Coordinates of all heavy atoms in Angstrom, one line a residue:
V181 N -91.6 84.7 -87.8 CA -92.8 85.5 -88.0 C -92.4 86.9 -87.6 O -92.0 87.0 -86.4 CB -93.9 84.9 -87.2 CG1 -95.2 85.8 -87.4 CG2 -94.2 83.4 -87.5
R252 N -100.1 91.5 -71.3 CA -101.2 90.5 -71.5 C -100.8 89.5 -72.6 O -101.3 88.4 -72.5 CB -102.4 91.2 -71.6 CG -102.9 92.0 -70.4 CD -104.3 92.6 -70.5 NE -104.8 93.0 -69.1 CZ -106.0 93.4 -69.0 NH1 -106.9 93.4 -70.0 NH2 -106.4 93.7 -67.7
L253 N -100.3 90.0 -73.7 CA -99.9 89.2 -74.8 C -98.7 88.4 -74.4 O -98.8 87.1 -74.7 CB -99.5 90.2 -75.9 CG -98.7 89.5 -77.1 CD1 -99.6 88.5 -77.9 CD2 -98.2 90.5 -78.1
R255 N -97.7 87.2 -71.4 CA -98.1 86.1 -70.4 C -99.1 85.0 -71.1 O -99.1 83.9 -70.5 CB -98.6 86.6 -69.1 CG -100.0 87.2 -69.3 CD -100.4 87.9 -68.0 NE -101.7 88.5 -68.1 CZ -102.2 89.4 -67.2 NH1 -101.4 89.8 -66.2 NH2 -103.5 89.8 -67.3
A256 N -99.8 85.4 -72.1 CA -100.6 84.4 -72.7 C -99.9 83.5 -73.8 O -100.5 82.6 -74.3 CB -101.8 85.2 -73.4
W257 N -98.7 84.0 -74.1 CA -97.9 83.3 -75.1 C -97.4 81.9 -74.7 O -96.7 81.8 -73.6 CB -96.8 84.1 -75.7 CG -96.1 83.6 -77.0 CD1 -95.0 82.9 -77.0 CD2 -96.6 83.7 -78.2 NE1 -94.7 82.5 -78.4 CE2 -95.8 83.0 -79.1 CE3 -97.8 84.3 -78.7 CZ2 -96.1 82.9 -80.5 CZ3 -98.0 84.1 -80.1 CH2 -97.1 83.6 -80.9
D258 N -97.5 80.9 -75.4 CA -97.1 79.5 -75.2 C -95.9 79.2 -76.1 O -96.0 78.9 -77.2 CB -98.3 78.5 -75.4 CG -97.8 77.1 -74.9 OD1 -96.7 76.9 -74.7 OD2 -98.7 76.2 -74.8
A261 N -95.7 75.8 -77.8 CA -96.6 75.5 -78.9 C -96.3 76.3 -80.0 O -96.5 75.9 -81.3 CB -98.0 75.7 -78.4
F262 N -95.9 77.6 -79.8 CA -95.9 78.6 -80.9 C -94.5 79.2 -81.1 O -94.4 80.1 -82.1 CB -96.9 79.8 -80.6 CG -98.3 79.3 -80.4 CD1 -98.9 79.2 -79.1 CD2 -99.0 78.8 -81.5 CE1 -100.2 78.9 -79.1 CE2 -100.3 78.3 -81.3 CZ -100.8 78.4 -80.1
V274 N -91.3 86.1 -83.9 CA -91.4 84.8 -83.3 C -90.5 83.8 -84.1 O -90.5 83.8 -85.4 CB -92.9 84.3 -83.3 CG1 -93.0 83.0 -82.5 CG2 -93.8 85.3 -82.7
Q281 N -95.6 75.4 -87.5 CA -95.6 76.2 -86.3 C -95.6 77.7 -86.4 O -96.2 78.5 -85.7 CB -94.4 75.8 -85.4 CG -94.4 76.4 -84.0 CD -93.2 76.1 -83.1 OE1 -92.0 76.1 -83.7 NE2 -93.4 75.6 -81.9
A282 N -94.9 78.2 -87.5 CA -94.9 79.6 -87.8 C -96.4 80.1 -88.2 O -96.8 81.1 -87.8 CB -93.9 79.9 -88.9
E283 N -97.0 79.3 -89.0 CA -98.5 79.7 -89.3 C -99.3 79.7 -88.1 O -100.2 80.6 -87.9 CB -99.0 78.7 -90.4 CG -98.3 78.9 -91.8 CD -98.7 77.9 -92.8 OE1 -99.3 76.9 -92.4 OE2 -98.3 78.1 -94.0
A284 N -99.1 78.7 -87.3 CA -99.9 78.7 -86.0 C -99.6 79.8 -85.2 O -100.4 80.4 -84.5 CB -99.6 77.3 -85.2
A285 N -98.3 80.3 -85.1 CA -98.0 81.5 -84.2 C -98.5 82.6 -84.8 O -99.0 83.5 -84.0 CB -96.4 81.5 -84.4
L286 N -98.6 82.8 -86.1 CA -99.1 84.0 -86.7 C -100.6 84.1 -86.4 O -101.1 85.2 -86.0 CB -98.8 84.1 -88.1 CG -99.4 85.3 -89.0 CD1 -98.9 86.6 -88.3 CD2 -99.0 85.3 -90.4
A287 N -101.3 83.0 -86.4 CA -102.7 82.9 -86.1 C -102.9 83.3 -84.7 O -103.9 84.0 -84.4 CB -103.3 81.6 -86.6
R288 N -102.1 82.8 -83.8 CA -102.2 83.0 -82.3 C -101.9 84.6 -82.2 O -102.7 85.2 -81.3 CB -101.1 82.2 -81.6 CG -101.2 82.4 -80.1 CD -102.5 82.0 -79.5 NE -102.5 82.2 -78.1 CZ -103.5 82.2 -77.3 NH1 -104.7 82.3 -77.8 NH2 -103.4 82.2 -76.0
L289 N -101.0 85.1 -82.8 CA -100.7 86.5 -82.6 C -101.9 87.4 -83.0 O -102.3 88.3 -82.3 CB -99.5 86.9 -83.4 CG -98.1 86.9 -82.7 CD1 -97.1 87.3 -83.8 CD2 -98.0 87.8 -81.6
R290 N -102.5 87.0 -84.1 CA -103.6 87.8 -84.6 C -104.8 87.7 -83.6 O -105.5 88.6 -83.3 CB -104.1 87.3 -86.0 CG -103.1 87.5 -87.1 CD -103.8 87.1 -88.5 NE -102.9 87.1 -89.5 CZ -102.6 88.2 -90.3 NH1 -103.2 89.4 -90.0 NH2 -101.7 88.2 -91.2
G291 N -104.9 86.5 -83.1 CA -106.1 86.3 -82.1 C -105.8 87.1 -80.8 O -106.8 87.7 -80.2
L292 N -104.6 87.0 -80.2 CA -104.3 87.7 -79.0 C -104.4 89.2 -79.2 O -105.0 89.9 -78.3 CB -102.9 87.4 -78.5 CG -102.8 85.9 -78.0 CD1 -101.3 85.6 -77.6 CD2 -103.7 85.6 -76.8
L293 N -104.0 89.7 -80.4 CA -104.0 91.2 -80.6 C -105.5 91.6 -80.8 O -105.9 92.7 -80.2 CB -103.2 91.6 -81.8 CG -101.7 91.5 -81.6 CD1 -101.0 91.7 -83.0 CD2 -101.3 92.4 -80.6
A294 N -106.3 90.7 -81.4 CA -107.7 91.1 -81.4 C -108.3 91.2 -80.2 O -109.3 92.0 -79.9 CB -108.4 90.0 -82.3
E295 N -108.0 90.2 -79.2 CA -108.6 90.3 -77.9 C -108.2 91.6 -77.0 O -108.9 92.0 -76.3 CB -108.1 89.1 -77.1 CG -108.6 87.8 -77.6 CD -108.1 86.6 -76.9 OE1 -107.4 86.9 -75.8 OE2 -108.2 85.5 -77.2

Side-chain angles (χ1 to χ4, degrees):
V181 179
R252 294 185 165 190
L253 165 67
R255 70 188 183 193
W257 190 259
D258 186 345
F262 303 109
V274 184
Q281 188 180 48
E283 291 173 348
L286 181 54
R288 179 61 172 160
L289 269 176
R290 293 185 189 276
L292 290 174
L293 289 175
E295 293 175 11

